[in-house]
Structure formats: C-alpha cells, structure tokens
Amino acid sequence: MSEPELSNFQITQTLAETHDFRLLAATDSSGASVRLTVFSADVSRRPEFRRALKMDRAMLMMLHHQSIIRFLGTGETDGTLFFWTAASDSPPLSQQLSDGRTFSVDDVIEIGWQVCSALQHAHNLGLAYGGLTTETVLLSDNLQVLLTGFGIQRWLTIVQESKSASSPTSGTISALAGREQIERDLKDLALLLSHLLNSASRDDATLPRRAVASRSMLERLLARCQNGSAGQLPQTAREFQGRLGELLIGSEEDQMPLVDQRDQGRSFKQSIVMELFEPDRLATSAIPPDEVSAGSATWKQFLPILLVVTAFVILTLIAVLAL
C-alpha cells in the first residue's frame, strides 16, 4: 500500500504557522475532517528529525485517551513530511485567554487534573510530551481538555541540538521517556496552570473562603513544581494529579494537606485521593463472601439449645405414650 500524500487531503484553512511547520484544517479522501501538520522542507530533510518521528510514530498510534487528540497517520510528499490527527472544534487555551476568558481556581485544578491523566497515559507507554503550552491544549466550553502536538517540540529540539553541535551528531533519541523528560512535562504543566491561575479573580473580598484557601495552596504547589528541587517535585503525573485532587476535595474547615506537607518520616507511595478509592482497600472493608451476617451468627448460637429442647419434648411424649 502506497504512503499517503498531501494530494489525498483537501486543505480548508490554515490554523497556525511557524518557521518549522504549518497546522491546517483539512478533509481526507473519505470527506472526514482532520488536522494536518506539514513540516518545512528544511526540517523534513534532517535525518535526526526523520528518525525521531519514525521512532515515536508507533507509540503515537497507541495513544487512546479522552484528553489526547487521536493520531491517525504520517505521510510524505516530495520529501516533505506530515502527519494528521482527528479534528476538533475546541480552540486552544492561548486563543481563549486572548479573547478574555477567565478561569476559576476550581477550573484550573480541573484542567490540570485532566492533563495529568493524559500525561500519565503517555508516560506509561514511554512517550514524553515535550513542549506543553497554552497553544497545544485545546479546551471546550464545558472544560473538556484535548492535548495536541505530542512530540513535535521534542523532535524540533533534536534538530536544533544537532545544528548547534560542533560535530555531526544524530541527536539525542531515546525509545523511552526518561526521568528528565517526565520532569520537564510536569514543570511545563505547572507553568501552564500558573498562567491560567493569573486569569482568575484575585479579589479575595468577593471570593468564598474555600476558594481563597485553595488558590493559596495551589500557588504554593505550582511554585514548588516550577522552582523546587527534585525532592519537592511530584515523581509522576499521577502524583501531581493526586495533589490537585486533594485541593478539590478539601474544605475551608478541613483542608487536606498536600503530600509533601505530611510527615516526611513516613513513605507515601501515592496520593491520599488514590488511597481513598483504592480497590483493594474497598475490598478489605467489605464483608468477605464466606462470612455470615450478624443475624445468621446469632441463630447459630441458639441452635444447640433448640436441639436439646426439641429432644427433651420428644422424649417426654414417648414416655407419656408408653404409660
């Protein structure tokens, strides 16, 4: 089967354009709407870029998550590389901020929660995002997140590193996301959420006490994620998600502490939010199948007495009849 070419698509609109690539709205040969990313001739001819795209392609096809736009395939026309994904009507966060949309503290936490879920799914497959920004996060009116552009910035960074190297190099290409790449994704997310938080109202006099407290705790969490040492950073996107969840379920009277505010002498492998809904914990709190209810246990306690009384009555009847 021949590789898809740009002629297989009907371009309808230019959504974004940079020196390295163009993002286009298009329809494929079946008439379905898609998002088409076409790389420049200069980028397309770089061997390290080609290797990076080829290496990630299989994993990109495996990304199946409600907060990640569906990767559909790659192609080449006259040496120009491109790929296409499913379409979306949701605009990027950058456009919404420019249009004046503001987000509450809970909105920011909800957006962060969904992005963490998407990042963890990708990290589980060994794929780092690389370059998460307000340009690459789409958001619907009802706060449904959709990540686009997985891997693009990583591939372009490899090209830049190769160009700036004093000697020819193939670039840093790894089959699996390393600790440094995962940490970079989490820091990028913290920076993005801080940007969104700046759009939220800062008039404490008009905000509920819970919102003021949540904002203060969220600001401290994001500051640590951006500027803290390695020991202060969440180790995974799931842990970051758990910390955000703790802010959501807290109240003004009983705010749950963040993971790094608890007793450091103990070992916490996961967030308290995950612990609350851990299947094993729920299972052990229920009555095992082979145990009986309190009512059944009480009946068994009186069963020997009942048997003795019954036997006594029968023997009495026999003795009376024998007279």
Side-chain angles (χ1 to χ4, degrees), residues 117-129:
S117 179
L119 289 178
Q120 186 63 53
H121 175 70
H123 293 168
N124 287 343
L125 295 175
L127 189 66
Y129 184 94

Side-chain angles (χ1 to χ4, degrees), residues 176-234:
L176 298 175
R179 178 66 236 166
E180 183 178 345
Q181 291 180 319
I182 292 175
E183 186 175 294
R184 181 71 262 167
D185 279 353
L186 300 184
K187 285 189 173 183
D188 286 345
L189 174 57
L191 180 62
L192 182 149
L193 296 181
S194 294
H195 193 180
L196 295 183
L197 193 60
N198 289 334
S199 73
S201 173
R202 304 192 71 92
D203 186 1
D204 292 352
T206 63
L207 292 175
R209 289 176 57 193
R210 176 191 175 278
V212 174
S214 294
R215 183 190 184 101
S216 176
M217 296 179 72
L218 180 58
E219 287 176 336
R220 294 200 301 271
L221 169 61
L222 298 180
R224 283 193 295 274
C225 289
Q226 293 177 74
N227 308 314
S229 62
Q232 292 179 301
L233 296 173

Side-chain angles (χ1 to χ4, degrees), residues 243-262:
R243 298 192 189 190
L244 293 173
E246 290 165 6
L247 297 182
L248 279 179
I249 66 176
S251 66
E252 60 188 45
E253 295 84 14
D254 185 23
Q255 287 284 349
M256 286 195 174
L258 300 177
V259 172
D260 55 4
Q261 292 176 324
R262 301 182 197 144

